[in-house]
Amino acid sequence: MSPRKSAAEARATRGRIIDRGIAIASVEGLEGLTIGRLATDLGMSKAGVLGHFGTKETLQLAVLEGASAVFVRAVWHPAEDAAPGLPRLRALCEAWIGYLEHERAVFPGGCLFTTASVEFDARGGRVRDAVARLSRVWRRRLAAELRQAVAAGELPADTDPEQVTYELVGCYLALNQELQLLADPEAPARTRRALDRLLAPAAADHSR
Amino acid sequence: MSPRKSAAEARATRGRIIDRGIAIASVEGLEGLTIGRLATDLGMSKAGVLGHFGTKETLQLAVLEGASAVFVRAVWHPAEDAAPGLPRLRALCEAWIGYLEHERAVFPGGCLFTTASVEFDARGGRVRDAVARLSRVWRRRLAAELRQAVAAGELPADTDPEQVTYELVGCYLALNQELQLLADPEAPARTRRALDRLLAPAAADHSR
DNA sequence: CCTACCGATCGGTAGG
DNA sequence: CCTACCGATCGGTAGG
């Protein structure tokens, strides 16, 4: 017997559903993502789409997980080769700008985490919990890298990692808004200027 | 004949619809705001609700306008008495924090403009245009006040008003996220620390 | 993976 | 402002 193709094919179909779901949810939100729309886009029946997930909530969680993988690939992986501390922080922040500016094919409506964060921030449920968890994980990553930069003497000793993390997140929320809502081409340059100040090396601290 | 009450009553009903609509849209978004939900909440029929607006889009625009009036009353009016320039900027920013932190009765799901901005940033149409316009008006207000503070020598002469406006907006987007999604009680304090740096008086520029 | 179907709800209209 | 209704679409199920 040749190996059954159905299991691998099912996995491939599931991947196609998730990729399309990410694109739709980026524009319409995770609630605006409907099973009927997915089925039409993919040339499938609604039951065929839903069969892979069972419920819409499970589909939403799978789409969120898929988007997380995209974020890791686009922002985290390119920075992994940089030295820990400030060099890696700068690499992460530059990749983060590129992710918001250029991943239009994957996220035509902008960063799905920003969309989902605002969409679910006043609700309960597993999707909201997953969004909050991903947000906390990313903030902890940034704070850990900031602590390492402080310990290495690359950032001023009185730097508050949580404070800088908060300001970094704010910069990227503003960048997403200027790119998506206001279509302002100067937004990436403004983000880089803000980063230059937030991540100014310790040696330059008293000179500005 | 006594003056007809119906016109005044109709206006009062319209106001009740908008107030309830703001609260619902703050949680569910302007698309998630449905005429049926509004009718149920207000003990009216769907046709009775829709009759005041004609279409859902007009209802959404009216709710947005109502939210704008709330924002002006909560953030702009309290700062009007402050002196132009840096004092008014600081008053605006402090009222802005209070607006996000305490207006839970009006906006149980957080700032409606943040919600609507993300919800419509990948769409076309009149609602998206209105959201973008309100966002631009507020940014211009902040930039004008910043220019005045620079001209008065209250902020360093090399301050870029658009740059600081961008960073201010980012701070408040991050504050909204930390309050709504992460329920972090330290968020207002972090915002104030960021403001102290962004709006540091010119005289203190070389001392930090 | 499909067809065929379910009750609920959507925005909106007719007519009063 | 109401009742009564429209076609479309929602998430989900039965049965294959």
Side-chain angles (χ1 to χ4, degrees), chain A residues 115 117-118 121-122 128 136 139 163 166-167 170-171 177-178 180-182 190-191 193-194 197 208, chain B residues 115 117-118 121 128 136 139 163 166-167 170-171 177-178 180-182 190-191 193-194 197 208:
Chain A
T115 301
S117 163
V118 166
D121 67 7
R128 181 228 162 85
R136 289 202 178 88
R139 282 164 186 257
Q163 179 71 25
Y166 157 85
E167 298 191 36
C171 278
Q177 181 175 93
E178 295 200 342
Q180 298 293 327
L181 180 69
L182 307 176
R190 271 197 280 269
T191 304
R193 276 198 290 275
R197 207 174 31 76
R208 199 215 174 285
Chain B
T115 302
S117 163
V118 166
D121 67 6
R128 181 230 162 84
R136 288 200 179 92
R139 282 164 186 257
Q163 178 73 25
Y166 157 85
E167 297 190 35
C171 278
Q177 180 174 94
E178 293 198 344
Q180 298 293 328
L181 180 69
L182 306 177
R190 271 197 281 267
T191 304
R193 276 198 290 275
R197 206 171 34 77
R208 199 211 175 290

Side-chain angles (χ1 to χ4, degrees), chain B residues 49-77:
Chain B
V49 170
L50 200 56
H52 285 270
F53 306 96
T55 66
K56 178 169 178 177
E57 187 184 52
T58 308
L59 166 66
Q60 290 172 319
L61 291 167
V63 166
L64 210 50
E65 193 181 8
S68 176
V70 172
F71 183 86
V72 168
R73 200 183 321 125
V75 179
W76 184 243
H77 283 174

Side-chain angles (χ1 to χ4, degrees), chain A residues 167-178:
Chain A
E167 298 191 36
L168 283 175
V169 168
C171 278
Y172 284 93
L173 290 171
L175 174 59
N176 190 68
Q177 181 175 93
E178 295 200 342

Side-chain angles (χ1 to χ4, degrees), chain B residues 28-132:
Chain B
E28 314 284 349
L30 279 170
E31 283 294 324
L33 170 65
T34 69
I35 296 152
R37 166 76 187 278
L38 263 175
T40 302
D41 283 14
L42 295 167
M44 293 173 63
S45 65
K46 290 200 314 177
V49 170
L50 200 56
H52 285 270
F53 306 96
T55 66
K56 178 169 178 177
E57 187 184 52
T58 308
L59 166 66
Q60 290 172 319
L61 291 167
V63 166
L64 210 50
E65 193 181 8
S68 176
V70 172
F71 183 86
V72 168
R73 200 183 321 125
V75 179
W76 184 243
H77 283 174
E80 262 182 334
D81 294 335
L86 194 54
R88 184 175 291 166
L89 262 173
R90 291 195 167 277
L92 282 173
C93 285
E94 189 55 34
W96 198 358
I97 293 175
Y99 159 83
L100 288 180
E101 198 178 3
H102 298 301
E103 294 281 354
R104 294 289 171 83
V106 187
F107 298 116
C111 176
L112 181 54
F113 302 106
T114 301
T115 302
S117 163
V118 166
E119 191 178 10
F120 285 89
D121 67 6
R123 308 182 190 196
R126 293 168 63 199
V127 178
R128 181 230 162 84
D129 294 345
V131 172

